[in-house]
């Protein structure tokens, strides 16, 4: 499923094609999964998720760290596999809201962890106000990265800069 998704996009993936690739009958596929959304969901729950493997080391410069994160994640999600994944997640969530929530949380967890740690460091350094909600900031990160993936375009250096400047203005200590 993941290979087909990366190669052709979610809309081009068919149960027939998956059955052929797996050398099983279409009925065998339907015996285990009710839809291609369910197959994608299981594949993503069991494997690595594109974009979740981005590692951005933290430095003493909050702004530089935010710029590095947006640049790395945006570039990764703008790859064909990231674009297909973002679009497929929308379809999976529409077809199976419960599975969509689980998958979206799995994608969001590494981002939430990174943001929480970076916000905590920023507070300790006096760069971030004590009342800043790290979960809300993480949601902003997720929204911006998701949009970038949906349109298949990495954030430009100018957009990254404007985003970071606005974010820093809102959370500054």
């Amino acid at each position: 499923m993941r290979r087909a998704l990366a190669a052709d996009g979610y809309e081009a993936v068919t149960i027939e094609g998956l059955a052929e690739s797996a050398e099983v009958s279409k009925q065998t596929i339907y015996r285990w999964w009710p839809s291609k959304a369910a197959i994608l969901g299981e594949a993503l729950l069991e494997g690595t998720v594109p974009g979740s493997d981005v590692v951005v080391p933290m430095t003493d410069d909050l702004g530089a760290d935010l710029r590095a994160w947006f640049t790395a994640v945006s570039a990764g999600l703008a790859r064909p596999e990231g674009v297909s994944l973002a679009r497929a997640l929308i379809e999976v969530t529409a077809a199976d809201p419960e599975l969509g929530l689980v998958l979206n949380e799995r994608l969001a967890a590494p981002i939430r962890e990174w943001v929480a740690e970076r916000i905590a460091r920023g507070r300790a350094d006096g760069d971030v106000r004590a009342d800043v909600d790290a979960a809300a900031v993480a949601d902003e990160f997720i929204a911006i990265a998701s949009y970038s993936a949906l349109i298949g375009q990495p954030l430009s250096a100018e957009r990254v800069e404007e985003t970071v400047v606005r974010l820093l203005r809102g959370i500054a200590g």
Side-chain angles (χ1 to χ4, degrees), residues 5 51 63 82 92 94 102-103 129 138 162 167:
L5 180 66
V92 169
V102 171
L103 289 172
R129 291 188 331 267
E162 176 60 27
L167 183 59

Side-chain angles (χ1 to χ4, degrees), residues 101-124:
L101 285 174
V102 171
L103 289 172
N104 280 291
E105 182 52 37
R106 176 144 185 251
L107 283 168
I111 298 168
R112 289 185 201 288
E113 291 167 13
W114 189 90
V115 170
E117 183 178 343
R118 191 60 191 94
I119 293 294
R121 281 183 175 198
R123 280 189 190 116

Side-chain angles (χ1 to χ4, degrees), residues 55-125:
V55 177
V56 179
M58 294 182 199
T59 69
D60 291 336
D61 185 338
L62 176 60
D65 291 354
L66 299 180
R67 284 178 197 88
W69 188 90
F70 277 115
T71 300
V73 169
S74 174
L77 288 175
R79 292 189 314 258
E81 185 179 37
V83 173
S84 293
L85 174 64
R87 292 175 181 165
L89 276 172
I90 290 171
E91 293 191 42
V92 169
T93 302
D96 186 340
E98 190 174 310
L99 177 60
L101 285 174
V102 171
L103 289 172
N104 280 291
E105 182 52 37
R106 176 144 185 251
L107 283 168
I111 298 168
R112 289 185 201 288
E113 291 167 13
W114 189 90
V115 170
E117 183 178 343
R118 191 60 191 94
I119 293 294
R121 281 183 175 198
R123 280 189 190 116
D125 295 341

